[in-house]
Amino acid sequence: MIADRERTAERLLKSSADRSYDPDVDIDWDADLAPDKYFLPAHRCSLYGTPLWDGLSVEQRIELTKHELASIASVGIWFEVILMELLVRHAYNADPLTRHTQYALTEVADECRHSVMFARLIEKVGCPAYGPGHTALRLGRIFKDIAFGPSMFAGILVAEEITDALQRESMNDPSVQPLVRMVNRIHVIEEARHVRYAREEVLRGTPGLSRAALAYHRFMLARTAYIVTRSLIHPRVYRSVGLDPYEARRVAWANPHYQETLRWAGSKLVSFLDENTLIDGPSRKLWQAVHLV
Ligand SMILES: [Fe+2]
Ligand SMILES: [Fe+2]
């Protein structure tokens, strides 16, 4: 049974009023970073368990997790900016008096604060905003102009749920920097509402699709999942510890630990989308190529 659209939005608005954060005041940006703490749980680093990892000192391992965190955060900003545009478009010709539209606008406000928070995090740790790379930037521009319906909301879920799994683990890990744990905690709390909103739209939008429409949404969604997953770690991060970016990237994608991390981070999302027939047919190969299926 799918919950009533207005009732869900009403609940999400109430939760937003009760529990929202302002990263400007809720985070102590002046606190020093801990010299001996990781920026991601070490076992989630893309090279963890490989000979390249074994060749790094503890300081270099910490440094690499810092750059991987910055890469993921900058890809988060990229996707949130896309998402804000999609939500604004979703609200454009919708009735502003519905709770559903009001919640879409509230979510834009959440994402707006998140993107500034991630930007300040990257700045604080002293890394570049790597971003998703040229190809993904170009494809993202097309995606944000043409996305609609189930593959739009499911595409949003891909970015939100994969990062959510990583952040939930990281926020509870005492080996991770306190600042990073706090950023993750804020993001996890607010994203839970977004996931609820998008999942229900997927549930409402998918069952009535024609066969051709379903094939289209499956393909668009698989492309999104492929591009987002491939973009998370920019190859240039490996230069921070003196590794060749393209060699290290090849090792990372062949790394069974990293493949398992991706599978684990996407598992709840993938079972939800699979149950709703959105992962099937020829596009399944794209999901497999990035180890989500
Ligand atoms: Fe967000
Ligand atoms: Fe979100």
Side-chain angles (χ1 to χ4, degrees), residues 164-182:
D164 189 67
L166 293 164
Q167 290 178 331
R168 268 174 204 274
E169 183 187 50
S170 172
M171 75 186 194
N172 291 317
D173 187 332
S175 74
V176 172
Q177 296 282 344
L179 170 69
V180 176
R181 292 174 65 188
M182 184 62 188

Side-chain angles (χ1 to χ4, degrees), residues 76 80 83 107 110-115 117-118 160 163 167 186-188 190-191 194:
E80 284 180 337
L83 170 54
E107 187 170 320
D110 285 358
E111 298 297 12
C112 195
R113 293 192 310 276
H114 294 169
S115 287
M117 172 172 78
F118 290 142
E160 290 186 332
T163 46
Q167 290 178 331
I186 289 176
H187 201 243
V188 162
E190 300 193 343
E191 286 299 321
H194 305 177

Side-chain angles (χ1 to χ4, degrees), residues 112-129:
C112 195
R113 293 192 310 276
H114 294 169
S115 287
V116 175
M117 172 172 78
F118 290 142
R120 292 196 67 174
L121 176 67
I122 297 166
E123 197 184 320
K124 171 77 186 178
V125 303
C127 288

